[in-house]
Each structure stands twice: as C-alpha cells, then as structure tokens.
Amino acid sequence: KERTFIAIKPDGVNRGLIADIIARFEKKGFKLVGLKLVHPTEDFAAEHYDDLKARPFFPALVKYFASGPVVAMVWEGKDVILTGRKLIGATNPADAAVGTIRGDYCIIMGRNIIHGSDGADSAKHEISLWFKENEIADWESAVHKWTYEK
Ligand code: GTP
Ligand code: MG
C-alpha cells in the first residue's frame, strides 16, 4: 500500500486553491487517508526541508513555508509517490507542463503552491513527521473495484 505526503503551501491556501488541488488527486483515483490544516513554525519548516539546508534559498524557503497555514495530506494508491509528482509538475512552474498543478496555477519557484514527497524514503519520513498514527484513516473506498482490477 503506497502512500505519499502532499502539502498545499501557504500561497495555495491564501489563493483559494485548496479545493481545486484536492480535486485533482481525488479525480485521478487516489484515496485521501490523512488531512489537516497546520500553521508550521519556522523550526518545523526547517525540519521538513532539512535536506535543503545548505542551499542559498533555504532561509527564504523556510520563511515562505511557515508564512501561513498549509494543508497537510496523506494520499494512498498504486505508484502515488511518482504519479503525485507528475500531477504536481516540475519544481519551477516556468518548466511545469500545462495540465499539471504548478503548470496551471503558479509562476515562480519561490511560490509554487504545493509540495510532494520525492521518493519512498522521504514519503515515509514526512508522513511520520506530520501525522500521528491515529490521524491516518485506513479505509476501503466503495469504488475501489472501479479504479483497480483487483
Ligand atoms: P517540494 O515538493 O516543495 O519539495 O519541491 P520539489 O521537490 O519540486 O523541489 P525541491 O525539494 O528541490 O525544493 C523544495 C522547494 O524549495 C521548491 O518547491 C521551491 O519552493 C524551493 N526551491 C527549490 N529550488 C529553488 C531555487 O532555486 N530558488 C528558490 N527561490 N526556491 C527554490
Ligand atoms: Mg522536494
């Protein structure tokens, strides 16, 4: 059962894009198993992006990510980590294909509205950083057989 961590960043929340972004993952067929609105502290934002701490844009990234509430989510489904990254599009919205979330809704890298885990290890790490076990719902979708063969 593959799961990934997705977060709508403060710009996505402020710009009223929560419903549209959630709809893209829902309509694709993925299952929402965790969801909450959280205003991260700068310390927490720095922990979330710990692997980028040596980069020159890190202080600006931490300030941006902690600048307002984010919608933290866990999505489940076959190949959801990689396919989720495809739905999101390239890091730089200028390079993101039209039809992807970043390609359709934003313009610059420092305001790219959404985060998605980039691999199995980061997904596991980020889900445990953001969610307690009892905040994740292990539920069976009634339409499962219309989305998968078995
Ligand atoms: P996330 O899903 O947010 O992790 O983005 P990503 O995996 O597509 O890219 P990466 O993890 O390399 O960078 C994390 C975030 O830092 C990006 O989404 C951008 O918001 C920001 N970022 C990355 N590179 C740059 C850069 O060169 N300049 C600026 N200003 N921001 C950057
Ligand atoms: Mg990343």
mmCIF file of all heavy atoms in Angstrom, residues 6 15 17 28-29 36 44 63 66 88:
data_model
loop_
_atom_site.group_PDB
_atom_site.id
_atom_site.type_symbol
_atom_site.label_atom_id
_atom_site.label_comp_id
_atom_site.label_asym_id
_atom_site.label_seq_id
_atom_site.Cartn_x
_atom_site.Cartn_y
_atom_site.Cartn_z
ATOM 1 N N ILE A 6 1.600 15.058 0.817
ATOM 2 C CA ILE A 6 1.354 16.208 -0.057
ATOM 3 C C ILE A 6 0.971 17.393 0.834
ATOM 4 O O ILE A 6 0.164 17.229 1.758
ATOM 5 C CB ILE A 6 0.185 15.918 -1.036
ATOM 6 C CG1 ILE A 6 0.470 14.683 -1.901
ATOM 7 C CG2 ILE A 6 -0.147 17.149 -1.888
ATOM 8 C CD1 ILE A 6 1.564 14.843 -2.942
ATOM 9 N N ARG A 15 -4.550 31.685 -1.856
ATOM 10 C CA ARG A 15 -5.116 31.964 -3.170
ATOM 11 C C ARG A 15 -6.387 31.168 -3.463
ATOM 12 O O ARG A 15 -6.935 31.243 -4.567
ATOM 13 C CB ARG A 15 -4.043 31.734 -4.251
ATOM 14 C CG ARG A 15 -2.899 32.755 -4.173
ATOM 15 C CD ARG A 15 -1.829 32.497 -5.223
ATOM 16 N NE ARG A 15 -2.431 32.375 -6.535
ATOM 17 C CZ ARG A 15 -1.947 31.624 -7.526
ATOM 18 N NH1 ARG A 15 -0.841 30.938 -7.347
ATOM 19 N NH2 ARG A 15 -2.569 31.575 -8.670
ATOM 20 N N LEU A 17 -6.905 27.824 -3.535
ATOM 21 C CA LEU A 17 -6.723 26.696 -4.458
ATOM 22 C C LEU A 17 -6.874 25.331 -3.789
ATOM 23 O O LEU A 17 -6.636 24.300 -4.432
ATOM 24 C CB LEU A 17 -5.340 26.812 -5.121
ATOM 25 C CG LEU A 17 -5.140 28.088 -5.960
ATOM 26 C CD1 LEU A 17 -3.689 28.197 -6.420
ATOM 27 C CD2 LEU A 17 -6.085 28.089 -7.157
ATOM 28 N N LYS A 28 -8.161 11.735 -9.996
ATOM 29 C CA LYS A 28 -7.215 10.761 -10.525
ATOM 30 C C LYS A 28 -7.569 9.357 -10.043
ATOM 31 O O LYS A 28 -7.367 8.369 -10.739
ATOM 32 C CB LYS A 28 -5.796 11.139 -10.067
ATOM 33 C CG LYS A 28 -4.712 10.180 -10.493
ATOM 34 C CD LYS A 28 -4.471 10.227 -11.981
ATOM 35 C CE LYS A 28 -3.281 9.304 -12.344
ATOM 36 N NZ LYS A 28 -3.188 9.154 -13.818
ATOM 37 N N GLY A 29 -8.116 9.270 -8.823
ATOM 38 C CA GLY A 29 -8.473 7.972 -8.251
ATOM 39 C C GLY A 29 -7.753 7.653 -6.965
ATOM 40 O O GLY A 29 -7.976 6.601 -6.368
ATOM 41 N N LYS A 36 -5.129 17.677 7.362
ATOM 42 C CA LYS A 36 -5.271 18.699 8.401
ATOM 43 C C LYS A 36 -4.675 20.028 7.959
ATOM 44 O O LYS A 36 -3.811 20.075 7.086
ATOM 45 C CB LYS A 36 -4.648 18.245 9.725
ATOM 46 C CG LYS A 36 -3.175 17.899 9.658
ATOM 47 C CD LYS A 36 -2.726 17.376 11.028
ATOM 48 C CE LYS A 36 -1.317 16.852 10.980
ATOM 49 N NZ LYS A 36 -0.871 16.283 12.269
ATOM 50 N N PHE A 44 9.817 23.981 12.457
ATOM 51 C CA PHE A 44 9.219 22.792 11.840
ATOM 52 C C PHE A 44 9.427 22.805 10.324
ATOM 53 O O PHE A 44 9.726 21.763 9.711
ATOM 54 C CB PHE A 44 7.733 22.696 12.187
ATOM 55 C CG PHE A 44 7.118 21.386 11.792
ATOM 56 C CD1 PHE A 44 7.271 20.260 12.591
ATOM 57 C CD2 PHE A 44 6.394 21.273 10.609
ATOM 58 C CE1 PHE A 44 6.719 19.035 12.214
ATOM 59 C CE2 PHE A 44 5.835 20.055 10.228
ATOM 60 C CZ PHE A 44 5.992 18.935 11.031
ATOM 61 N N LYS A 63 10.920 30.640 5.520
ATOM 62 C CA LYS A 63 10.004 31.756 5.801
ATOM 63 C C LYS A 63 8.704 31.606 5.010
ATOM 64 O O LYS A 63 7.607 31.817 5.532
ATOM 65 C CB LYS A 63 10.664 33.095 5.462
ATOM 66 C CG LYS A 63 11.597 33.582 6.553
ATOM 67 C CD LYS A 63 11.701 35.120 6.553
ATOM 68 C CE LYS A 63 12.140 35.685 7.892
ATOM 69 N NZ LYS A 63 13.252 34.940 8.519
ATOM 70 N N ALA A 66 6.535 28.721 6.316
ATOM 71 C CA ALA A 66 5.974 28.994 7.641
ATOM 72 C C ALA A 66 5.139 30.276 7.648
ATOM 73 O O ALA A 66 4.734 30.749 8.706
ATOM 74 C CB ALA A 66 7.100 29.093 8.670
ATOM 75 N N ILE A 88 1.784 17.133 -9.854
ATOM 76 C CA ILE A 88 2.274 18.415 -9.347
ATOM 77 C C ILE A 88 3.050 19.168 -10.427
ATOM 78 O O ILE A 88 2.878 20.375 -10.586
ATOM 79 C CB ILE A 88 3.162 18.177 -8.096
ATOM 80 C CG1 ILE A 88 2.289 17.747 -6.919
ATOM 81 C CG2 ILE A 88 3.986 19.424 -7.775
ATOM 82 C CD1 ILE A 88 3.075 17.248 -5.703
#
